Amino acid sequence: MDNKGLVKLDELLLKYGNDDSILSASELDGYFAAVVSGPRQIDPGLWYPHIWAEQLPKWPSDKEGERFTKLAVELMSEAAFMLDEEPDDYEAIFLADDNGKGEKLIVSQWCAGYLRGAEVAGWLGEEMPENIKAALELITLHGAESGADALNAMSDDEYDASTAAIEPAAVAIYAYWQEHLQPIVPVRREGAKVGRNDPCTCGSGKKYKQCCM
């Protein structure tokens, strides 16, 4: 995704988000990296509302909602492709420190989004081998408030080394769950069945048959 698309995502997330929702393209990229990394596929009807902390935006027009959904799906698809097809070249969307020369990476938003995505995808608390637990703990260190003291105690070199290990950690987690994929099983619908011509559950504004069906 080019910078123009990322800027537009930032704009839409900030404009229509709330205090508990994802508020940046960096955070959304981390969210999608975790969603696509789990042992099971996640339906848009689940991951889309959690972008907004269950408070869906009131789009002023179908076009605006469709624009966001298109950009979001593009971002998710790129994350999935890079993690799967080009793991050695995988690049997360981190931010740069605006104070100074912008050489210090800010990874907290991406990591916070990743933890949200792992929770939504349902694999955050599952059993994992020690090396994968360590990879997740590294992301948690940078993405959860509990890691603040440890991060503040780091030297610049230690911080740089820690942030440099985040992308390899995400790649390792993805590779592990790809080896432990769970079969897709049908589930009983709790609500009414979505009709082909009904609005799509992902909130895009399109008909279901033209979107996630």
Side-chain angles (χ1 to χ4, degrees):
M1 176 176 289
D2 58 22
N3 285 336
K4 184 177 179 181
L6 294 175
V7 170
K8 185 62 178 179
L9 273 176
D10 275 334
E11 176 187 319
L12 294 173
L13 288 165
L14 282 171
K15 185 174 182 180
Y16 297 104
N18 56 77
D19 290 343
D20 298 315
S21 67
I22 290 175
L23 294 174
S24 73
S26 177
E27 189 176 356
L28 187 62
D29 183 58
Y31 177 78
F32 283 141
V35 166
V36 303
S37 290
R40 63 190 70 88
Q41 290 185 356
I42 306 299
D43 187 88
L46 176 62
W47 61 250
Y48 182 86
H50 284 280
I51 293 175
W52 311 102
E54 302 287 357
Q55 301 178 46
L56 296 181
K58 296 180 179 179
W59 301 110
S61 66
D62 290 346
K63 183 178 180 181
E64 190 86 320
E66 290 172 6
R67 178 76 181 279
F68 174 81
T69 302
K70 180 180 179 181
L71 289 170
V73 170
E74 180 182 344
L75 187 67
M76 181 172 64
S77 298
E78 287 185 3
F81 175 81
M82 293 297 293
L83 285 165
D84 190 60
E85 300 291 337
E86 300 180 3
D88 292 340
D89 296 321
Y90 173 69
E91 292 185 357
I93 299 176
F94 296 147
L95 303 177
D97 185 2
D98 289 333
N99 297 321
K101 299 179 180 180
E103 295 176 351
K104 184 176 181 179
L105 291 178
I106 300 174
V107 301
S108 56
Q109 291 187 29
W110 188 93
C111 292
Y114 190 94
L115 296 177
R116 184 195 293 244
E119 183 174 4
V120 169
W123 60 265
L124 190 60
E126 295 196 11
E127 287 296 321
M128 292 173 274
E130 289 303 318
N131 64 316
I132 302 303
K133 284 183 180 179
L136 183 59
E137 287 170 359
L138 173 65
I139 294 174
T140 303
L141 172 66
H142 288 272
E145 293 182 4
S146 57
D149 289 342
L151 292 174
N152 289 334
M154 287 184 179
S155 66
D156 287 345
D157 288 343
E158 289 172 334
Y159 179 85
D160 290 343
S162 183
T163 57
I166 291 174
E167 288 161 328
V171 170
I173 293 171
Y174 178 87
Y176 170 75
W177 284 124
Q178 285 298 295
E179 295 176 356
H180 298 80
L181 290 177
Q182 297 177 3
I184 301 174
V185 295
V187 296
R188 185 181 300 276
R189 292 179 181 271
E190 297 295 334
K193 182 179 179 180
V194 181
R196 289 170 55 86
N197 293 309
D198 291 339
C200 186
T201 56
C202 77
S204 67
K206 292 183 179 181
K207 292 181 180 180
Y208 182 56
K209 66 181 181 182
Q210 298 171 333
C211 194
C212 293
M213 189 177 79

